[in-house]
Amino acid sequence: MSERAYSEELNEEMSAFKAHKYSLEGKLKSAKAFHCHDPYCGIKLTCSNWAVKDAKRIYFTPSNRDDLHSIACSTVSGDEEKRQVEVETEQGKRTISKNGIIAMRKATNKSKTNHSNEHGVEDVDVVTGERRNNVTKDKKGTESRNVSSIKTYINFYYDDDVDNNVCNIRVDGELISLNTLFVDAKEEIPVGVNRILFGNAIVTTPVFNDKLAAFEFVDADKPIVYTNKEMLLTRINSKVLNQYLDKGVECQFFFRGSIGQDGKFVSFNGKNYCDLYIME
């Protein structure tokens, strides 16, 4: 659920309450003429309880259940992100059961495609020319599905119905297995190779910036992962983060990215909060 969206009828960003008010006044005609205003997202949204008097719950929700907010979207709530992971996991397991391929997708800043305002985004990704939640098939009929969330890959990794030894995960053009994708933080990985590292970590607030959260792997010679605390607290992991932040207690931590030439972590999506997860 989202509190704000971009109105395609009035060409302006607005709250769900304002959109609902305008529906009662007749200033807006369609509950579905909205999309997410985040430049990394842009999925079509529908305003709830449209033109219903005395409505108590008013919010924007994806117009299509299978359409997911971008992993880098700043508007998605923790509950909505949790629902998205459930949908993405279900869809991904169906593809895996068909001996298909899961493609690790990066978040990309979207551009306007068929509306005149500068903020709108259609479902088509103008960078790749493909649809956001596209499922493609090659000439042999092999299905390929884009999957974004790190939590979805963690779900695959720990699912007894998924064979972790099969090379069905495409990362940066290479087909690898889940056992290759997931690497113990105590092990070494080549520079520039994207993997999901996991291990125990301590979470603290750095003394030099109280707006950040710092994740330091325990007994592993790896860089510290810093991320925006406010952004992380809006994500699926917010409640778990509060259990460990500055408590001196180890958590099971996952980070998706690579080691740069300077020896520092480079997150897969370029935004650390998109590429880390604390196991509940």
Side-chain angles (χ1 to χ4, degrees), residues 203-206 229 241 244-249:
V203 194
T204 59
T205 300
K229 189 188 303 182
L241 175 64
Y244 294 101
L245 182 63
D246 297 324
K247 299 294 194 301
V249 180

Side-chain angles (χ1 to χ4, degrees), residues 6 31 45 52 59 93 95 120 125 130 148 159 167 182 206 234 240 248 250 263-264 270:
Y6 197 88
L45 298 175
V52 175
Y59 52 85
K93 286 187 64 177
T95 295
D125 181 338
E130 300 173 341
S148 299
D159 194 313
C167 292
F182 283 79
T234 66
V240 183
E250 295 179 11
K264 297 180 180 179

Side-chain angles (χ1 to χ4, degrees), residues 53 74 97 127 139 169 183 202 239 244-245 253 258:
K53 293 183 179 180
S74 61
S97 69
V127 176
K139 294 180 179 179
I169 309 295
V183 178
I202 296 293
K239 295 179 181 178
Y244 294 101
L245 182 63
F253 177 61
S258 62

Side-chain angles (χ1 to χ4, degrees), residues 16-215:
F17 288 99
K18 183 176 181 179
H20 180 262
K21 178 176 179 289
Y22 280 4
S23 75
L24 295 173
E25 297 173 352
K27 294 181 179 179
L28 289 175
K29 305 300 182 184
S30 174
K32 297 185 177 182
F34 299 92
H35 60 254
C36 181
H37 61 88
D38 189 288
Y40 279 88
C41 194
I43 65 168
K44 296 285 290 183
L45 298 175
T46 297
C47 185
S48 67
N49 291 310
W50 191 252
V52 175
K53 293 183 179 180
D54 301 321
K56 295 182 178 180
R57 298 195 66 198
I58 304 170
Y59 52 85
F60 293 106
T61 189
S63 299
N64 186 318
R65 182 181 182 276
D66 290 338
D67 284 346
L68 307 179
H69 284 273
S70 166
I71 189 175
C73 180
S74 61
T75 71
V76 66
S77 67
D79 288 341
E80 180 70 11
E81 186 183 5
K82 182 178 180 179
R83 186 197 70 82
Q84 293 198 167
V85 167
E86 292 172 352
V87 171
E88 198 174 51
T89 300
E90 178 185 339
Q91 292 174 341
K93 286 187 64 177
R94 284 204 301 266
T95 295
I96 291 173
S97 69
K98 301 173 186 176
N99 297 318
I101 303 299
I102 300 297
M104 187 175 287
R105 176 191 175 90
K106 291 183 179 181
T108 53
N109 194 304
K110 307 301 172 184
S111 299
K112 186 78 179 137
T113 56
N114 69 348
H115 293 294
S116 59
N117 67 77
E118 63 180 283
H119 300 283
V121 182
E122 259 300 304
D123 289 338
V124 175
D125 181 338
V126 297
V127 176
T128 65
E130 300 173 341
R131 289 194 175 276
R132 177 182 304 284
N133 293 312
N134 68 308
V135 178
T136 60
K137 290 186 178 180
D138 61 19
K139 294 180 179 179
K140 297 180 180 180
T142 302
E143 185 172 293
S144 179
R145 179 182 295 277
N146 288 332
V147 170
S148 299
S149 173
I150 182 175
K151 180 58 169 66
T152 303
Y153 288 94
I154 294 171
N155 289 347
F156 294 156
Y157 186 64
Y158 288 103
D159 194 313
D160 292 336
D161 294 329
V162 177
D163 189 342
N164 291 353
N165 293 309
V166 176
C167 292
N168 54 8
I169 309 295
R170 181 177 289 114
V171 182
D172 298 331
E174 178 187 11
L175 270 182
I176 62 175
S177 68
L178 285 166
N179 278 337
T180 299
L181 176 63
F182 283 79
V183 178
D184 191 309
K186 296 178 182 179
E187 299 179 10
E188 295 300 319
I189 60 173
V191 172
V193 175
N194 282 298
R195 293 292 184 262
I196 296 177
L197 284 85
F198 64 92
N200 288 352
I202 296 293
V203 194
T204 59
T205 300
V207 293
F208 61 85
N209 190 337
D210 62 6
K211 294 183 180 180
L212 298 179
F215 294 81

Side-chain angles (χ1 to χ4, degrees), residues 214-233:
F215 294 81
E216 185 172 4
F217 283 110
V218 177
D219 299 327
D221 186 20
K222 291 295 186 295
I224 296 176
V225 178
Y226 295 99
T227 191
N228 183 295
K229 189 188 303 182
E230 181 179 356
M231 288 301 302
L232 196 59
L233 286 171

